[in-house]
Amino acid sequence: QMMSQAEGQQRDLIRSIECLPASGHLTSLDQDLLMLKATSMATMNCLNDCFHILQLQHASQQKGSLPAGTTISWLEPKISLANHFKNGAAQNFPAEINKPASVREEQSIAEPCQLTREPEEINPDEELEDISDDKEDDLGAVEEQRSVILHLLSQLKLGMDLTRVVLPTFILEKRSLLEMYADFMSHPDLFIAIANGGSPEERMIRFVEYYLTSFHEGRKGAIAKKPYNPIIGETFHCSWRMPKSNVATDAGTSSSAQSSSEQATLPKDAEGQAEPDYYTVKFVAEQVSHHPPVSGFYAECVERNMCVNAHVWTKSKFLGMSIGVTMVGEGVLHLLEHGEEYTFSLPCAYARSILTVPWVELGGKVNINCAKTGYSASINFHTKPFYGGKLHRVTGEVKQNMTNTVVCRVQGEWNSVLEFTYSNGETKYVDLTKLSVTRKRVRPLEKQGPFESRRLWQHVTESLRDGDIDKATEHKRALEERQRNEERLRAETETPWCTKYFLKDGDGWVYHKPLWKTVSAAQTQQTDSN
């Protein structure tokens, strides 16, 4: 009862501050009052944690004493900023029965580990070309949201980790982070063409070209919006179909020779069937960890004997008037036909000018290496200097490590035009604004599982499309609260989380059935039969 009274008094305090005029002697944006709001919120979170620990101790005393060595950990705050505000406005706290059915459904989905965690084989034929066109509107000046942002800033310190900070709903994109990783694959013709390179040098250059063209569509321009934070256990599946005639081949490789190499990898039950005139690239992503937030994703083209496996840990930090996101992790491209592996990293992303007109830029140095061939690439994403300079600039070079010879240099903008200059003096320009984008294929919502991204976030997405920020916030909060409750339950019962598609491998995560394993098994079986 005392806790409930304290929470009510704290809500009254917040309402009193929010109801103050926006201008005058004492305003709702007064720095001391903003700090008072943040401090009272932190105090209530601390009291809730203490109360929860006392409840655990009381329960253990009723069942018997705690085992020796048992520790009781601090848990997620039970009261989040979103529980008090919808983008800065005071809100009511309706009874459970008054909540929309979709919100109650989001809160009542069973604990993911109790659902089937067996990997599901997705049939690409069930997937349909994506017709949704969720272009993000520019945020423009954010005057009407300034109180929300100032309130958020009052709780942050330079260098502070933003992993557990609840961000306002109006800055969200209408897609999950897992789907954003899929959108990096929106040029499957360039991806497949890597394997068709006639030499190690050409394959490395083709990979660099594909890598640099992936960020424009993945970021959907330079609009500073943030994708949904994936829920642990969330998955995303899609595929692309690319006509074989649209994929660049090596000048020295005939189409018949290429077809024979593809037929050699076909399973026996596919022999005799008409070969399709398109390549299929399949993609799957899964949120494998919540703290830290780690995503695993995997893509493969069976016909070209190539696949890519990656894991990314997103670390966000507050940098004053901008937010920095470090993409910790590593990806590996496997070209099985050539026995080559290309390791690569990802650049940092920055949301700049978060109090005026927010915009995004990439920054940092990334490396691509192929140990077998000795070729490597070094790419620099340049952040704009304080005075002068160009936006979104990128430079890089491809070299042969044994001879330290630079075989290709690249410069330009990662969201505009790239210029490739080769060692023979030739120059190639790639205009990303004119580069064709292949639409991904996704299963309809009614065929998706409850933890597939689009079905999981469908009510948030629909509300954002309708421009109903309050409703989107309510649906988002229901999903996040359910995740916190599940995490708390697993901590109390010491139940480990079980992933569905990815397995822990050292510091990284690997797809449970990668192409390099299935091809190796098929070759072994063929050898045994001979």
Side-chain angles (χ1 to χ4, degrees), residues 101-313:
S102 55
V103 174
R104 295 200 300 270
E105 175 192 349
E106 285 160 355
Q107 290 178 328
S108 63
I109 293 179
E111 209 278 334
C113 222
Q114 294 171 354
L115 297 174
T116 172
R117 303 304 299 166
E118 289 299 317
E120 181 184 4
E121 288 294 332
I122 304 298
N123 183 358
D125 292 333
E126 292 182 357
E127 296 174 328
L128 305 176
E129 187 170 298
D130 189 17
I131 57 174
S132 65
D133 191 17
D134 283 325
K135 289 187 177 179
E136 297 298 335
D137 298 324
D138 199 331
L139 285 171
V142 290
E143 288 292 334
E144 67 278 8
Q145 310 291 356
R146 190 176 294 274
S147 64
V148 189
I149 299 175
L150 279 172
H151 175 85
L152 187 64
L153 295 182
S154 70
Q155 303 176 71
L156 306 180
K157 294 180 180 179
L158 282 178
M160 180 178 176
D161 184 0
L162 300 182
T163 303
R164 296 172 186 259
V165 175
V166 179
L167 296 177
T169 306
F170 72 85
I171 68 168
L172 292 179
E173 292 184 25
K174 295 183 280 289
R175 59 174 177 169
S176 169
L177 180 67
L178 299 185
E179 184 168 355
M180 189 192 82
Y181 291 140
D183 288 334
F184 284 143
M185 303 286 296
S186 293
H187 302 299
D189 51 334
L190 298 180
F191 175 70
I192 298 168
I194 299 170
N196 294 342
S199 66
E201 176 181 320
E202 187 177 357
R203 288 191 289 275
M204 175 60 80
I205 292 174
R206 287 190 180 195
F207 180 52
V208 170
E209 180 180 344
Y210 160 74
Y211 181 89
L212 288 176
T213 56
S214 65
F215 295 101
H216 177 53
E217 182 62 20
R219 275 302 324 147
K220 290 190 180 297
I223 297 173
K225 286 195 172 184
K226 178 185 176 301
Y228 310 139
N229 283 335
I231 303 295
I232 188 170
E234 179 182 335
T235 60
F236 183 79
H237 301 266
C238 67
S239 65
W240 295 265
R241 286 183 177 177
M242 175 53 55
K244 294 182 177 179
S245 58
N246 291 5
V247 178
T249 58
D250 179 59
T253 304
S254 67
S255 58
S256 59
Q258 184 177 323
S259 298
S260 64
S261 69
E262 291 171 9
Q263 288 175 352
T265 64
L266 289 173
K268 288 188 175 181
D269 56 1
E271 290 179 5
Q273 297 180 5
E275 186 180 328
D277 60 352
Y278 57 82
Y279 295 117
T280 298
V281 177
K282 294 193 291 185
F283 177 93
V284 58
E286 179 181 6
Q287 190 70 5
V288 296
S289 171
H290 180 48
H291 291 307
V294 180
S295 310
F297 62 91
Y298 172 85
E300 68 178 20
C301 179
V302 176
E303 300 97 326
R304 294 305 300 131
N305 258 346
M306 61 187 301
C307 63
V308 60
N309 187 100
H311 64 277
V312 181
W313 169 15

Side-chain angles (χ1 to χ4, degrees), residues 468-481:
D468 192 338
I469 301 299
D470 290 350
K471 195 173 181 181
T473 302
E474 192 173 355
H475 289 303
K476 174 174 172 284
R477 185 191 313 120
L479 288 171
E480 291 169 342
E481 183 61 29

Side-chain angles (χ1 to χ4, degrees), residues 292-480:
V294 180
S295 310
F297 62 91
Y298 172 85
E300 68 178 20
C301 179
V302 176
E303 300 97 326
R304 294 305 300 131
N305 258 346
M306 61 187 301
C307 63
V308 60
N309 187 100
H311 64 277
V312 181
W313 169 15
T314 52
K315 297 179 69 175
S316 306
K317 284 192 175 181
F318 178 58
L319 305 174
M321 286 298 101
S322 62
I323 293 174
V325 181
T326 305
M327 314 288 271
V328 181
E330 183 181 76
V332 182
L333 170 69
H334 299 260
L335 302 183
L336 303 180
E337 185 179 326
H338 305 286
E340 297 169 357
E341 296 181 5
Y342 297 73
T343 60
F344 61 94
S345 53
L346 294 170
C348 300
Y350 300 92
R352 305 293 194 191
S353 305
I354 57 179
L355 269 181
T356 53
V357 182
W359 53 280
V360 168
E361 70 172 340
L362 302 178
K365 182 179 179 180
V366 298
N367 295 295
I368 303 171
N369 291 289
C370 180
K372 179 180 178 180
T373 65
Y375 280 90
S376 66
S378 176
I379 302 169
N380 275 294
F381 292 85
H382 301 271
T383 55
K384 185 181 181 299
F386 194 74
Y387 292 108
K390 286 186 176 182
L391 287 173
H392 314 305
R393 198 164 65 89
V394 63
T395 58
E397 60 182 27
V398 178
K399 65 166 57 176
Q400 200 344 294
N401 297 331
M402 296 291 289
T403 60
N404 204 32
T405 305
V406 176
V407 298
C408 177
R409 298 184 191 276
V410 60
Q411 63 177 348
E413 292 84 43
W414 59 264
N415 61 352
S416 181
V417 178
L418 296 169
E419 175 187 314
F420 293 82
T421 305
Y422 305 102
S423 55
N424 60 5
E426 292 183 4
T427 301
K428 173 183 177 181
Y429 294 92
V430 178
D431 188 342
L432 280 77
T433 60
K434 297 179 180 178
L435 211 57
S436 63
V437 172
T438 303
R439 284 186 176 271
K440 56 182 176 288
R441 299 169 60 86
V442 185
R443 288 194 300 177
L445 280 181
E446 60 271 16
K447 290 191 176 182
Q448 293 183 17
F451 281 85
E452 290 191 53
S453 295
R454 289 196 174 180
R455 182 173 168 188
L456 183 71
W457 293 95
Q458 63 175 321
H459 300 302
V460 179
T461 303
E462 289 167 2
S463 300
L464 288 175
R465 284 177 185 152
D466 295 339
D468 192 338
I469 301 299
D470 290 350
K471 195 173 181 181
T473 302
E474 192 173 355
H475 289 303
K476 174 174 172 284
R477 185 191 313 120
L479 288 171
E480 291 169 342

